[in-house]
Amino acid sequence: MKRIVVLAFVLVMLASLMLGCSKDDKTPTPAPDSQGGLPADSMAIAAERGLTPDDINAALMTYTPSGTWDEYITFMSGGHSGNLIAVGVPSMRILKNIAVFTPEAWQGYGFGNTEIEQMLDAGNVDGETIRMGDSHHPALSETAGDYDGQWIFINDKNSARVAVIDLRDFETKQIVKDPNIISNHGATFVSPNTDYIFQGAQYATPFGWEYAPLSEYQEKYRGMMTAWKFDREAGRIDPSKSFSIELPPYWQDLCDAGKLVSDGWVFCNSFNTEMATGGNMEGQPNFEASVSQRDMDYMHIIDWKKAEQVVAAGKTEEINGMPVISIPTAIEEGVLYLAPEPKSPHGMDVTPDGKYLVVAGKLDPHVTIYSFDKIQKAIASGNSTPDAFGIPILNFDDVMVAQLEVGLGPLHTQFDDKGNAYTSLFLDSMVAKWKLGGDDPAAYVVLNKVPVQYNIGHLVAAEGDTVSPDGKYLIALNKWAVDRFTPVGPLLPQNEQLIDISGDAMKVIYDMPMGVGEPHYAQMIKADKIHAINTYPEVGWDPISWQKSEFATLPGEERIERNGNEVEVFMTSVRSHLTPDRVEVKQGDHVIWHITNVETAQDATHGFQLDGHNISLSIEPGETANFEFDATNSGTYPYYCTEFCSALHLEMMGYFQVAP
Ligand code: CUK
Ligand code: CUA
């Protein structure tokens, strides 16, 4: 019986697709059979695979034939794999795994390439080489509050670092380390014109993560908000024009930058306003209990434009090279305010019009909606009570507009183009769709919900963090994938579920197993906003400095130069040979090696690995890559191209010999 229903449904749907007819179309639907050019076997396939009408619908909405491109690109953080993953929507195919904080051999990232090593080294901590990361929140660069497709930034929660990725070649260009905090979380969030990339701390430590007994937590431990200045011209964060604001040792959590009316402000939720310090072996409760005692935590409300003026006026203290606005100065200058947030808040999402802020409850089934206008009026009224550090806490009732019960474990909220909001419900494993009600508390209503599998964290809507979201698609970033995919052992992939939000009811239309990282957050941009290059602009290009490399080597210029104990190799690669194909040095020599891929054809990448030396490069068409090392061991080491570039790819090799 089910099969007959399926068959009938497929027939009608395929027919209407072929004819592009609508309900009003009076053209009679011809009998869909093989005469009409319809593949009769598609019905058989659907029946054979037991596909329901919904399945077929979902397949038709997501299947992306060979050679056709996705409408959107979603950039998903890789979590503790420390990378950033570009996924096409609606196909949900991984387009690229972008190495950021963690070495990745395919891209030749962190395996010898001199410029990349230097960039990664900029993220080292106190001489400790850090080659992992915990990437959380990607932020696309914006112009006037809209994604402009030029850059994307991402934080490393583990060591409080921020990376800059260029969307011309989808490669990481810079990593900066905050000199005063060792863990971040409310990062990265950009101001509407990407003047600043904001980074809120997470677990409080003394500045510079120095030692201080936990008994001195309130006096010595601090949170922080850092405003990293982005120089668009240079395509780099300029630490010399960046600044920080000292915050209380509450754990700042998620942040968002204001937009339109609220431009100039940044907001963070926080937890552990209890200032708990653990001690579960010393008779204290676990953190999970001790940081959840109070009924209210504090939203941090920061006037960054005013902070910028305070910095310009020199009212800062330089701590570890960073100008820092102290808490007393922030209070005096009107830079910092607090507002109560219901129990264990999470998420901070500014509505597209910039007028409202949504904070979710985590342990409270409500989302709380705050009004920026009310916040401004409350600040102007002077009605507040000081917290333990003297920071004014505005009255909850003065700033809150509505509280809406959305379900259990609300975390994050996204927006569409029709005035609706979508909140992830971790405990319910659902997405709740609700209506924004402006200043009228009664106008906020839950519209409907859709189950997701399982334990949803963040969710992302098409252009969902901009001043003009697209609606259309939403992705649920689910942490658990029990029973969803063919088993692959105890460590399961995550499940990224694509949801169609074009209609009234939400529909899950694709389950994507993410087996290369644990996405925390993502941003989804219209693909045609990104103008990625096909090959580097000129042969001999340095992708990091974005100019011709001083080591560019053209055909005919290949050479090996010796200068005392230093041997410098200038090599070219082209299908299907490396020139020179013999390099001989003496044991103890220092070897500096440059390779230029002189190809100009798109996709004619040559990789390079040197046996026994932990060296792996990816040299894209036009690129010059460099590496250096000490020839410590004598021996014979083949080097070869790692990309299967031609029929004679295996012949693309050479011998590196170290004479004793
Ligand atoms: S967050 Cu980082 S731990 Cu963005 Cu809700 Cu999950
Ligand atoms: Cu070049 Cu294989």
Side-chain angles (χ1 to χ4, degrees), residues 6 10 14 54 107 124 141 161 177 185 206 275 299 307 323 364 367 409 445 464 472 551 554 592 637:
V6 169
V10 175
L14 285 176
D54 275 351
Q107 291 158 80
N124 289 348
S141 59
R161 301 178 297 173
K177 165 81 196 89
H185 192 239
M275 295 190 272
M299 178 199 295
D364 171 329
V367 286
V445 281
K472 211 161 177 175
F551 307 112
L554 296 178
I592 304 171
Y637 305 97

mmCIF file with all atom_site columns, all heavy atoms in Angstrom, residues 6 10 14 54 107 124 141 161 177 185 206 275 299 307 323 364 367 409 445 464 472 551 554 592 637:
data_model
loop_
_atom_site.group_PDB
_atom_site.id
_atom_site.type_symbol
_atom_site.label_atom_id
_atom_site.label_alt_id
_atom_site.label_comp_id
_atom_site.label_asym_id
_atom_site.label_entity_id
_atom_site.label_seq_id
_atom_site.pdbx_PDB_ins_code
_atom_site.Cartn_x
_atom_site.Cartn_y
_atom_site.Cartn_z
_atom_site.occupancy
_atom_site.B_iso_or_equiv
_atom_site.pdbx_formal_charge
_atom_site.auth_seq_id
_atom_site.auth_comp_id
_atom_site.auth_asym_id
_atom_site.auth_atom_id
_atom_site.pdbx_PDB_model_num
ATOM 1   N N   . VAL A 1 6   ? 3.562  6.016  -2.622  1.00 0.00 ? 6   VAL A N   1
ATOM 2   C CA  . VAL A 1 6   ? 4.833  6.618  -3.001  1.00 0.00 ? 6   VAL A CA  1
ATOM 3   C C   . VAL A 1 6   ? 4.887  6.800  -4.512  1.00 0.00 ? 6   VAL A C   1
ATOM 4   O O   . VAL A 1 6   ? 5.213  7.865  -5.022  1.00 0.00 ? 6   VAL A O   1
ATOM 5   C CB  . VAL A 1 6   ? 6.008  5.727  -2.525  1.00 0.00 ? 6   VAL A CB  1
ATOM 6   C CG1 . VAL A 1 6   ? 7.316  6.199  -3.136  1.00 0.00 ? 6   VAL A CG1 1
ATOM 7   C CG2 . VAL A 1 6   ? 6.086  5.738  -1.009  1.00 0.00 ? 6   VAL A CG2 1
ATOM 8   N N   . VAL A 1 10  ? 5.283  10.266 -6.537  1.00 0.00 ? 10  VAL A N   1
ATOM 9   C CA  . VAL A 1 10  ? 6.439  10.542 -7.393  1.00 0.00 ? 10  VAL A CA  1
ATOM 10  C C   . VAL A 1 10  ? 5.981  10.923 -8.787  1.00 0.00 ? 10  VAL A C   1
ATOM 11  O O   . VAL A 1 10  ? 6.485  11.870 -9.389  1.00 0.00 ? 10  VAL A O   1
ATOM 12  C CB  . VAL A 1 10  ? 7.371  9.311  -7.447  1.00 0.00 ? 10  VAL A CB  1
ATOM 13  C CG1 . VAL A 1 10  ? 8.509  9.549  -8.430  1.00 0.00 ? 10  VAL A CG1 1
ATOM 14  C CG2 . VAL A 1 10  ? 7.913  9.011  -6.070  1.00 0.00 ? 10  VAL A CG2 1
ATOM 15  N N   . LEU A 1 14  ? 7.004  14.456 -10.247 1.00 0.00 ? 14  LEU A N   1
ATOM 16  C CA  . LEU A 1 14  ? 7.917  14.526 -11.386 1.00 0.00 ? 14  LEU A CA  1
ATOM 17  C C   . LEU A 1 14  ? 7.245  15.217 -12.559 1.00 0.00 ? 14  LEU A C   1
ATOM 18  O O   . LEU A 1 14  ? 7.844  16.043 -13.225 1.00 0.00 ? 14  LEU A O   1
ATOM 19  C CB  . LEU A 1 14  ? 8.390  13.127 -11.791 1.00 0.00 ? 14  LEU A CB  1
ATOM 20  C CG  . LEU A 1 14  ? 9.435  12.503 -10.853 1.00 0.00 ? 14  LEU A CG  1
ATOM 21  C CD1 . LEU A 1 14  ? 9.741  11.084 -11.301 1.00 0.00 ? 14  LEU A CD1 1
ATOM 22  C CD2 . LEU A 1 14  ? 10.695 13.338 -10.793 1.00 0.00 ? 14  LEU A CD2 1
ATOM 23  N N   . ASP A 1 54  ? 8.092  12.621 1.567   1.00 0.00 ? 54  ASP A N   1
ATOM 24  C CA  . ASP A 1 54  ? 8.951  13.634 2.194   1.00 0.00 ? 54  ASP A CA  1
ATOM 25  C C   . ASP A 1 54  ? 10.411 13.422 1.825   1.00 0.00 ? 54  ASP A C   1
ATOM 26  O O   . ASP A 1 54  ? 11.158 14.378 1.589   1.00 0.00 ? 54  ASP A O   1
ATOM 27  C CB  . ASP A 1 54  ? 8.801  13.592 3.726   1.00 0.00 ? 54  ASP A CB  1
ATOM 28  C CG  . ASP A 1 54  ? 7.622  14.429 4.200   1.00 0.00 ? 54  ASP A CG  1
ATOM 29  O OD1 . ASP A 1 54  ? 7.043  15.165 3.367   1.00 0.00 ? 54  ASP A OD1 1
ATOM 30  O OD2 . ASP A 1 54  ? 7.272  14.324 5.396   1.00 0.00 ? 54  ASP A OD2 1
ATOM 31  N N   . GLN A 1 107 ? 47.125 20.469 2.964   1.00 0.00 ? 107 GLN A N   1
ATOM 32  C CA  . GLN A 1 107 ? 47.318 21.864 2.575   1.00 0.00 ? 107 GLN A CA  1
ATOM 33  C C   . GLN A 1 107 ? 48.744 22.332 2.816   1.00 0.00 ? 107 GLN A C   1
ATOM 34  O O   . GLN A 1 107 ? 49.047 23.511 2.669   1.00 0.00 ? 107 GLN A O   1
ATOM 35  C CB  . GLN A 1 107 ? 46.345 22.755 3.362   1.00 0.00 ? 107 GLN A CB  1
ATOM 36  C CG  . GLN A 1 107 ? 44.912 22.546 2.941   1.00 0.00 ? 107 GLN A CG  1
ATOM 37  C CD  . GLN A 1 107 ? 43.935 22.984 4.024   1.00 0.00 ? 107 GLN A CD  1
ATOM 38  O OE1 . GLN A 1 107 ? 43.638 24.162 4.185   1.00 0.00 ? 107 GLN A OE1 1
ATOM 39  N NE2 . GLN A 1 107 ? 43.416 22.040 4.764   1.00 0.00 ? 107 GLN A NE2 1
ATOM 40  N N   . ASN A 1 124 ? 52.057 30.954 19.559  1.00 0.00 ? 124 ASN A N   1
ATOM 41  C CA  . ASN A 1 124 ? 52.655 30.175 20.651  1.00 0.00 ? 124 ASN A CA  1
ATOM 42  C C   . ASN A 1 124 ? 52.451 30.890 21.978  1.00 0.00 ? 124 ASN A C   1
ATOM 43  O O   . ASN A 1 124 ? 52.236 32.096 22.018  1.00 0.00 ? 124 ASN A O   1
ATOM 44  C CB  . ASN A 1 124 ? 54.145 29.948 20.392  1.00 0.00 ? 124 ASN A CB  1
ATOM 45  C CG  . ASN A 1 124 ? 54.374 28.959 19.260  1.00 0.00 ? 124 ASN A CG  1
ATOM 46  O OD1 . ASN A 1 124 ? 53.440 28.289 18.828  1.00 0.00 ? 124 ASN A OD1 1
ATOM 47  N ND2 . ASN A 1 124 ? 55.602 28.879 18.786  1.00 0.00 ? 124 ASN A ND2 1
ATOM 48  N N   . SER A 1 141 ? 33.424 38.852 7.538   1.00 0.00 ? 141 SER A N   1
ATOM 49  C CA  . SER A 1 141 ? 33.548 40.310 7.542   1.00 0.00 ? 141 SER A CA  1
ATOM 50  C C   . SER A 1 141 ? 32.246 40.927 7.020   1.00 0.00 ? 141 SER A C   1
ATOM 51  O O   . SER A 1 141 ? 31.539 40.325 6.218   1.00 0.00 ? 141 SER A O   1
ATOM 52  C CB  . SER A 1 141 ? 34.735 40.755 6.696   1.00 0.00 ? 141 SER A CB  1
ATOM 53  O OG  . SER A 1 141 ? 34.601 40.316 5.359   1.00 0.00 ? 141 SER A OG  1
ATOM 54  N N   . ARG A 1 161 ? 43.134 32.932 21.090  1.00 0.00 ? 161 ARG A N   1
ATOM 55  C CA  . ARG A 1 161 ? 43.740 33.455 19.866  1.00 0.00 ? 161 ARG A CA  1
ATOM 56  C C   . ARG A 1 161 ? 42.640 33.735 18.838  1.00 0.00 ? 161 ARG A C   1
ATOM 57  O O   . ARG A 1 161 ? 41.538 33.207 18.939  1.00 0.00 ? 161 ARG A O   1
ATOM 58  C CB  . ARG A 1 161 ? 44.735 32.434 19.308  1.00 0.00 ? 161 ARG A CB  1
ATOM 59  C CG  . ARG A 1 161 ? 45.846 32.122 20.314  1.00 0.00 ? 161 ARG A CG  1
ATOM 60  C CD  . ARG A 1 161 ? 46.805 31.087 19.791  1.00 0.00 ? 161 ARG A CD  1
ATOM 61  N NE  . ARG A 1 161 ? 46.156 29.807 19.548  1.00 0.00 ? 161 ARG A NE  1
ATOM 62  C CZ  . ARG A 1 161 ? 46.747 28.778 18.956  1.00 0.00 ? 161 ARG A CZ  1
ATOM 63  N NH1 . ARG A 1 161 ? 47.989 28.888 18.536  1.00 0.00 ? 161 ARG A NH1 1
ATOM 64  N NH2 . ARG A 1 161 ? 46.107 27.648 18.777  1.00 0.00 ? 161 ARG A NH2 1
ATOM 65  N N   . LYS A 1 177 ? 47.578 36.384 19.360  1.00 0.00 ? 177 LYS A N   1
ATOM 66  C CA  . LYS A 1 177 ? 47.371 35.837 20.706  1.00 0.00 ? 177 LYS A CA  1
ATOM 67  C C   . LYS A 1 177 ? 47.094 36.993 21.648  1.00 0.00 ? 177 LYS A C   1
ATOM 68  O O   . LYS A 1 177 ? 47.857 37.969 21.678  1.00 0.00 ? 177 LYS A O   1
ATOM 69  C CB  . LYS A 1 177 ? 48.653 35.095 21.131  1.00 0.00 ? 177 LYS A CB  1
ATOM 70  C CG  . LYS A 1 177 ? 48.763 34.782 22.618  1.00 0.00 ? 177 LYS A CG  1
ATOM 71  C CD  . LYS A 1 177 ? 47.995 33.546 23.015  1.00 0.00 ? 177 LYS A CD  1
ATOM 72  C CE  . LYS A 1 177 ? 47.800 33.471 24.529  1.00 0.00 ? 177 LYS A CE  1
ATOM 73  N NZ  . LYS A 1 177 ? 46.563 34.147 24.985  1.00 0.00 ? 177 LYS A NZ  1
ATOM 74  N N   . HIS A 1 185 ? 35.905 32.938 24.509  1.00 0.00 ? 185 HIS A N   1
ATOM 75  C CA  . HIS A 1 185 ? 34.722 32.221 24.027  1.00 0.00 ? 185 HIS A CA  1
ATOM 76  C C   . HIS A 1 185 ? 33.813 33.142 23.221  1.00 0.00 ? 185 HIS A C   1
ATOM 77  O O   . HIS A 1 185 ? 33.399 32.785 22.137  1.00 0.00 ? 185 HIS A O   1
ATOM 78  C CB  . HIS A 1 185 ? 33.948 31.574 25.188  1.00 0.00 ? 185 HIS A CB  1
ATOM 79  C CG  . HIS A 1 185 ? 32.910 30.612 24.721  1.00 0.00 ? 185 HIS A CG  1
ATOM 80  N ND1 . HIS A 1 185 ? 31.578 30.732 25.006  1.00 0.00 ? 185 HIS A ND1 1
ATOM 81  C CD2 . HIS A 1 185 ? 33.008 29.510 23.956  1.00 0.00 ? 185 HIS A CD2 1
ATOM 82  C CE1 . HIS A 1 185 ? 30.903 29.742 24.442  1.00 0.00 ? 185 HIS A CE1 1
ATOM 83  N NE2 . HIS A 1 185 ? 31.746 28.986 23.794  1.00 0.00 ? 185 HIS A NE2 1
ATOM 84  N N   . PRO A 1 206 ? 44.206 35.554 36.424  1.00 0.00 ? 206 PRO A N   1
ATOM 85  C CA  . PRO A 1 206 ? 44.887 36.843 36.571  1.00 0.00 ? 206 PRO A CA  1
ATOM 86  C C   . PRO A 1 206 ? 45.388 37.280 35.188  1.00 0.00 ? 206 PRO A C   1
ATOM 87  O O   . PRO A 1 206 ? 45.595 36.436 34.315  1.00 0.00 ? 206 PRO A O   1
ATOM 88  C CB  . PRO A 1 206 ? 46.058 36.517 37.506  1.00 0.00 ? 206 PRO A CB  1
ATOM 89  C CG  . PRO A 1 206 ? 45.620 35.286 38.248  1.00 0.00 ? 206 PRO A CG  1
ATOM 90  C CD  . PRO A 1 206 ? 44.812 34.505 37.261  1.00 0.00 ? 206 PRO A CD  1
ATOM 91  N N   . MET A 1 275 ? 31.185 33.585 41.198  1.00 0.00 ? 275 MET A N   1
ATOM 92  C CA  . MET A 1 275 ? 32.643 33.576 41.358  1.00 0.00 ? 275 MET A CA  1
ATOM 93  C C   . MET A 1 275 ? 33.117 32.314 42.086  1.00 0.00 ? 275 MET A C   1
ATOM 94  O O   . MET A 1 275 ? 33.982 32.353 42.963  1.00 0.00 ? 275 MET A O   1
ATOM 95  C CB  . MET A 1 275 ? 33.136 34.862 42.034  1.00 0.00 ? 275 MET A CB  1
ATOM 96  C CG  . MET A 1 275 ? 32.877 36.082 41.151  1.00 0.00 ? 275 MET A CG  1
ATOM 97  S SD  . MET A 1 275 ? 33.662 37.583 41.727  1.00 0.00 ? 275 MET A SD  1
ATOM 98  C CE  . MET A 1 275 ? 32.415 38.227 42.829  1.00 0.00 ? 275 MET A CE  1
ATOM 99  N N   . MET A 1 299 ? 24.250 40.203 32.061  1.00 0.00 ? 299 MET A N   1
ATOM 100 C CA  . MET A 1 299 ? 24.610 40.591 30.707  1.00 0.00 ? 299 MET A CA  1
ATOM 101 C C   . MET A 1 299 ? 25.602 41.745 30.816  1.00 0.00 ? 299 MET A C   1
ATOM 102 O O   . MET A 1 299 ? 25.431 42.633 31.638  1.00 0.00 ? 299 MET A O   1
ATOM 103 C CB  . MET A 1 299 ? 23.367 41.069 29.941  1.00 0.00 ? 299 MET A CB  1
ATOM 104 C CG  . MET A 1 299 ? 23.679 41.543 28.537  1.00 0.00 ? 299 MET A CG  1
ATOM 105 S SD  . MET A 1 299 ? 22.378 42.587 27.844  1.00 0.00 ? 299 MET A SD  1
ATOM 106 C CE  . MET A 1 299 ? 21.035 41.450 27.733  1.00 0.00 ? 299 MET A CE  1
ATOM 107 N N   . ALA A 1 307 ? 34.501 53.471 24.381  1.00 0.00 ? 307 ALA A N   1
ATOM 108 C CA  . ALA A 1 307 ? 35.770 52.872 24.808  1.00 0.00 ? 307 ALA A CA  1
ATOM 109 C C   . ALA A 1 307 ? 36.907 53.310 23.880  1.00 0.00 ? 307 ALA A C   1
ATOM 110 O O   . ALA A 1 307 ? 38.020 53.598 24.329  1.00 0.00 ? 307 ALA A O   1
ATOM 111 C CB  . ALA A 1 307 ? 35.649 51.348 24.819  1.00 0.00 ? 307 ALA A CB  1
ATOM 112 N N   . PRO A 1 323 ? 46.786 48.200 25.629  1.00 0.00 ? 323 PRO A N   1
ATOM 113 C CA  . PRO A 1 323 ? 46.101 49.206 26.433  1.00 0.00 ? 323 PRO A CA  1
ATOM 114 C C   . PRO A 1 323 ? 44.801 48.634 26.996  1.00 0.00 ? 323 PRO A C   1
ATOM 115 O O   . PRO A 1 323 ? 43.997 48.076 26.244  1.00 0.00 ? 323 PRO A O   1
ATOM 116 C CB  . PRO A 1 323 ? 45.810 50.337 25.438  1.00 0.00 ? 323 PRO A CB  1
ATOM 117 C CG  . PRO A 1 323 ? 46.274 49.883 24.115  1.00 0.00 ? 323 PRO A CG  1
ATOM 118 C CD  . PRO A 1 323 ? 46.778 48.485 24.199  1.00 0.00 ? 323 PRO A CD  1
ATOM 119 N N   . ASP A 1 364 ? 16.623 27.354 31.926  1.00 0.00 ? 364 ASP A N   1
ATOM 120 C CA  . ASP A 1 364 ? 15.330 28.022 32.078  1.00 0.00 ? 364 ASP A CA  1
ATOM 121 C C   . ASP A 1 364 ? 14.667 27.898 30.702  1.00 0.00 ? 364 ASP A C   1
ATOM 122 O O   . ASP A 1 364 ? 15.312 28.151 29.687  1.00 0.00 ? 364 ASP A O   1
ATOM 123 C CB  . ASP A 1 364 ? 15.626 29.487 32.442  1.00 0.00 ? 364 ASP A CB  1
ATOM 124 C CG  . ASP A 1 364 ? 14.399 30.394 32.434  1.00 0.00 ? 364 ASP A CG  1
ATOM 125 O OD1 . ASP A 1 364 ? 13.465 30.136 31.648  1.00 0.00 ? 364 ASP A OD1 1
ATOM 126 O OD2 . ASP A 1 364 ? 14.376 31.368 33.188  1.00 0.00 ? 364 ASP A OD2 1
ATOM 127 N N   . VAL A 1 367 ? 13.357 32.233 26.532  1.00 0.00 ? 367 VAL A N   1
ATOM 128 C CA  . VAL A 1 367 ? 14.314 33.216 26.030  1.00 0.00 ? 367 VAL A CA  1
ATOM 129 C C   . VAL A 1 367 ? 13.863 34.561 26.601  1.00 0.00 ? 367 VAL A C   1
ATOM 130 O O   . VAL A 1 367 ? 12.673 34.791 26.784  1.00 0.00 ? 367 VAL A O   1
ATOM 131 C CB  . VAL A 1 367 ? 14.352 33.293 24.481  1.00 0.00 ? 367 VAL A CB  1
ATOM 132 C CG1 . VAL A 1 367 ? 15.053 32.086 23.895  1.00 0.00 ? 367 VAL A CG1 1
ATOM 133 C CG2 . VAL A 1 367 ? 12.962 33.468 23.873  1.00 0.00 ? 367 VAL A CG2 1
ATOM 134 N N   . GLY A 1 409 ? 16.125 23.790 27.515  1.00 0.00 ? 409 GLY A N   1
ATOM 135 C CA  . GLY A 1 409 ? 17.517 23.933 27.111  1.00 0.00 ? 409 GLY A CA  1
ATOM 136 C C   . GLY A 1 409 ? 17.746 24.879 25.954  1.00 0.00 ? 409 GLY A C   1
ATOM 137 O O   . GLY A 1 409 ? 18.544 24.582 25.066  1.00 0.00 ? 409 GLY A O   1
ATOM 138 N N   . VAL A 1 445 ? 5.222  35.009 20.163  1.00 0.00 ? 445 VAL A N   1
ATOM 139 C CA  . VAL A 1 445 ? 4.559  33.702 20.277  1.00 0.00 ? 445 VAL A CA  1
ATOM 140 C C   . VAL A 1 445 ? 5.379  32.617 19.594  1.00 0.00 ? 445 VAL A C   1
ATOM 141 O O   . VAL A 1 445 ? 6.029  32.861 18.566  1.00 0.00 ? 445 VAL A O   1
ATOM 142 C CB  . VAL A 1 445 ? 3.141  33.687 19.636  1.00 0.00 ? 445 VAL A CB  1
ATOM 143 C CG1 . VAL A 1 445 ? 2.123  34.326 20.538  1.00 0.00 ? 445 VAL A CG1 1
ATOM 144 C CG2 . VAL A 1 445 ? 3.142  34.350 18.275  1.00 0.00 ? 445 VAL A CG2 1
ATOM 145 N N   . GLY A 1 464 ? 22.108 34.751 8.540   1.00 0.00 ? 464 GLY A N   1
ATOM 146 C CA  . GLY A 1 464 ? 21.320 34.916 9.765   1.00 0.00 ? 464 GLY A CA  1
ATOM 147 C C   . GLY A 1 464 ? 21.843 35.898 10.784  1.00 0.00 ? 464 GLY A C   1
ATOM 148 O O   . GLY A 1 464 ? 21.125 36.257 11.704  1.00 0.00 ? 464 GLY A O   1
ATOM 149 N N   . LYS A 1 472 ? 14.953 30.913 4.149   1.00 0.00 ? 472 LYS A N   1
ATOM 150 C CA  . LYS A 1 472 ? 15.238 29.796 3.256   1.00 0.00 ? 472 LYS A CA  1
ATOM 151 C C   . LYS A 1 472 ? 15.849 28.573 3.938   1.00 0.00 ? 472 LYS A C   1
ATOM 152 O O   . LYS A 1 472 ? 15.247 27.514 3.946   1.00 0.00 ? 472 LYS A O   1
ATOM 153 C CB  . LYS A 1 472 ? 16.146 30.263 2.115   1.00 0.00 ? 472 LYS A CB  1
ATOM 154 C CG  . LYS A 1 472 ? 15.915 29.513 0.841   1.00 0.00 ? 472 LYS A CG  1
ATOM 155 C CD  . LYS A 1 472 ? 16.478 30.289 -0.343  1.00 0.00 ? 472 LYS A CD  1
ATOM 156 C CE  . LYS A 1 472 ? 16.305 29.481 -1.586  1.00 0.00 ? 472 LYS A CE  1
ATOM 157 N NZ  . LYS A 1 472 ? 16.704 30.183 -2.788  1.00 0.00 ? 472 LYS A NZ  1
ATOM 158 N N   . PHE A 1 551 ? 61.676 34.981 -3.567  1.00 0.00 ? 551 PHE A N   1
ATOM 159 C CA  . PHE A 1 551 ? 62.309 33.706 -3.916  1.00 0.00 ? 551 PHE A CA  1
ATOM 160 C C   . PHE A 1 551 ? 61.675 33.066 -5.151  1.00 0.00 ? 551 PHE A C   1
ATOM 161 O O   . PHE A 1 551 ? 61.939 31.907 -5.462  1.00 0.00 ? 551 PHE A O   1
ATOM 162 C CB  . PHE A 1 551 ? 62.238 32.742 -2.733  1.00 0.00 ? 551 PHE A CB  1
ATOM 163 C CG  . PHE A 1 551 ? 62.788 33.336 -1.473  1.00 0.00 ? 551 PHE A CG  1
ATOM 164 C CD1 . PHE A 1 551 ? 61.958 33.625 -0.396  1.00 0.00 ? 551 PHE A CD1 1
ATOM 165 C CD2 . PHE A 1 551 ? 64.141 33.623 -1.387  1.00 0.00 ? 551 PHE A CD2 1
ATOM 166 C CE1 . PHE A 1 551 ? 62.471 34.191 0.762   1.00 0.00 ? 551 PHE A CE1 1
ATOM 167 C CE2 . PHE A 1 551 ? 64.666 34.199 -0.226  1.00 0.00 ? 551 PHE A CE2 1
ATOM 168 C CZ  . PHE A 1 551 ? 63.826 34.484 0.848   1.00 0.00 ? 551 PHE A CZ  1
ATOM 169 N N   . LEU A 1 554 ? 61.707 31.200 -11.856 1.00 0.00 ? 554 LEU A N   1
ATOM 170 C CA  . LEU A 1 554 ? 61.066 30.899 -13.130 1.00 0.00 ? 554 LEU A CA  1
ATOM 171 C C   . LEU A 1 554 ? 61.870 29.813 -13.839 1.00 0.00 ? 554 LEU A C   1
ATOM 172 O O   . LEU A 1 554 ? 63.039 29.592 -13.511 1.00 0.00 ? 554 LEU A O   1
ATOM 173 C CB  . LEU A 1 554 ? 60.979 32.169 -13.983 1.00 0.00 ? 554 LEU A CB  1
ATOM 174 C CG  . LEU A 1 554 ? 60.093 33.263 -13.380 1.00 0.00 ? 554 LEU A CG  1
ATOM 175 C CD1 . LEU A 1 554 ? 60.093 34.508 -14.270 1.00 0.00 ? 554 LEU A CD1 1
ATOM 176 C CD2 . LEU A 1 554 ? 58.654 32.763 -13.175 1.00 0.00 ? 554 LEU A CD2 1
ATOM 177 N N   . ILE A 1 592 ? 68.065 25.703 2.833   1.00 0.00 ? 592 ILE A N   1
ATOM 178 C CA  . ILE A 1 592 ? 66.931 26.608 2.595   1.00 0.00 ? 592 ILE A CA  1
ATOM 179 C C   . ILE A 1 592 ? 66.430 26.287 1.190   1.00 0.00 ? 592 ILE A C   1
ATOM 180 O O   . ILE A 1 592 ? 67.203 26.269 0.236   1.00 0.00 ? 592 ILE A O   1
ATOM 181 C CB  . ILE A 1 592 ? 67.373 28.087 2.680   1.00 0.00 ? 592 ILE A CB  1
ATOM 182 C CG1 . ILE A 1 592 ? 68.041 28.352 4.034   1.00 0.00 ? 592 ILE A CG1 1
ATOM 183 C CG2 . ILE A 1 592 ? 66.172 29.014 2.496   1.00 0.00 ? 592 ILE A CG2 1
ATOM 184 C CD1 . ILE A 1 592 ? 68.692 29.722 4.131   1.00 0.00 ? 592 ILE A CD1 1
ATOM 185 N N   . TYR A 1 637 ? 67.311 10.467 0.563   1.00 0.00 ? 637 TYR A N   1
ATOM 186 C CA  . TYR A 1 637 ? 65.895 10.721 0.816   1.00 0.00 ? 637 TYR A CA  1
ATOM 187 C C   . TYR A 1 637 ? 65.193 11.181 -0.456  1.00 0.00 ? 637 TYR A C   1
ATOM 188 O O   . TYR A 1 637 ? 65.409 12.311 -0.909  1.00 0.00 ? 637 TYR A O   1
ATOM 189 C CB  . TYR A 1 637 ? 65.736 11.808 1.882   1.00 0.00 ? 637 TYR A CB  1
ATOM 190 C CG  . TYR A 1 637 ? 66.472 11.516 3.179   1.00 0.00 ? 637 TYR A CG  1
ATOM 191 C CD1 . TYR A 1 637 ? 67.740 12.061 3.413   1.00 0.00 ? 637 TYR A CD1 1
ATOM 192 C CD2 . TYR A 1 637 ? 65.898 10.708 4.154   1.00 0.00 ? 637 TYR A CD2 1
ATOM 193 C CE1 . TYR A 1 637 ? 68.418 11.801 4.597   1.00 0.00 ? 637 TYR A CE1 1
ATOM 194 C CE2 . TYR A 1 637 ? 66.570 10.449 5.340   1.00 0.00 ? 637 TYR A CE2 1
ATOM 195 C CZ  . TYR A 1 637 ? 67.832 10.992 5.557   1.00 0.00 ? 637 TYR A CZ  1
ATOM 196 O OH  . TYR A 1 637 ? 68.494 10.732 6.723   1.00 0.00 ? 637 TYR A OH  1
#
